[in-house]
Structure formats: C-alpha cells, structure tokens
Amino acid sequence: MRTDSDGQSNEGQTEKIDVRVPAALLEVIEEEYHQRGYTSRSEAIRDALRDWANPPTTPSDETLEDLENSREQKKEGETVSAEETRERLELDD
C-alpha cells in the first residue's frame, strides 16, 4: 500500500492510499456511488470507511424493551406531555 499526502480536503490533511478491490466490487461502486448522493467514488469509500471505523451503536435489548414499554404506555394514555410535567413540577422553560 502506498500513501501520499493530499491537503485538499476540507477535513484537514488526508492521505492517499492505493487499494485493490475485485472487479465486481468496483463495478458496484461505479454503478451506485452517484445514485447514493456521492460526488465521487472516493467520497463514497471514505464514508464507508468511517462507518467501519466508527460503527453506529445498537441499542441493547433492555433499551429496546424499555422503548416498546414506553410506546405501549403512550398508546394506553398513561403518559403526559413535557409541558404538563413542567406545570406539575412548577418548572420554568
């Protein structure tokens, strides 16, 4: 792998790398990057690498269960609005 400095990014200094990918994968990238709103292959690949380096967090099963319980409570009318809560607690905005 070869790297070259390239200071033309608005994210600060970047490094240029050469990466080999299978031809079939390159075809998919070529067909898709513009349709997904990217202006270049490089932009799409950088975004994919960011997701790989910083994967989105996945809520725990406990958190998902709590959210489902909250939805059910709202559906059953067991919740109150934030405004009503502030009034009950005599809080100012």
Side-chain angles (χ1 to χ4, degrees), residues 1-63:
M1 176 172 63
R2 177 178 60 95
T3 64
D4 296 319
S5 290
D6 176 6
Q8 297 184 4
S9 173
N10 60 0
E11 295 180 14
Q13 184 173 350
T14 61
E15 299 290 326
K16 180 179 177 183
I17 62 172
D18 292 332
V19 178
R20 294 183 185 274
V21 296
L25 178 56
L26 183 57
E27 286 179 27
V28 171
I29 294 168
E30 286 290 342
E31 293 171 3
E32 292 289 325
Y33 80 86
H34 190 66
Q35 293 178 20
R36 294 184 185 207
Y38 295 102
T39 58
S40 67
R41 280 191 318 209
S42 292
E43 182 184 5
I45 292 168
R46 276 193 302 273
D47 199 31
L49 288 171
R50 280 188 209 98
D51 285 347
W52 175 79
N54 301 302
T57 57
T58 303
S60 68
D61 290 341
E62 182 180 357
T63 299

